[in-house]
Amino acid sequence: MYIPPSEFNPYLWENGTTDYQHFATSSTLTQSSGDDSGSYIGNSNSMKFHASDCRYGLKVSDSNKVMFDSRADAINQGYQPCKVCNP
């Protein structure tokens, strides 16, 4: 069973506030948009997904290659993250 890491970070608390809405809208919790678009390569044979620069992701044959726009999209479709690149 895969449990994704928590996005809770107590060091983000500013001025003693614990307001969840403040943290949910914080820019530190949003994903960067630089490499996020199409940056995950899935292998339909092994049901694993890799970062675009992972050595094992680059070896996936074109017939088994599935591209994902986000990590959440890959997980929602039943793929597990690579244990080498840990996307």
Side-chain angles (χ1 to χ4, degrees), residues 2-7 31-32 35-36 38-43 47-58 60 66 68-76 79-87:
Y2 174 74
I3 300 173
S6 174
E7 292 183 357
Q31 296 179 349
S32 64
D35 286 336
D36 228 18
S39 62
Y40 298 100
I41 302 169
N43 185 337
M47 295 302 287
K48 302 271 186 193
F49 70 97
H50 311 269
S52 61
D53 58 348
C54 177
R55 64 179 180 224
Y56 296 111
L58 297 174
V60 176
V66 180
F68 296 106
D69 290 331
S70 69
R71 182 179 196 277
D73 188 27
I75 291 173
N76 288 338
Y79 285 78
Q80 296 180 353
C82 171
K83 292 185 180 185
V84 175
C85 64
N86 196 20

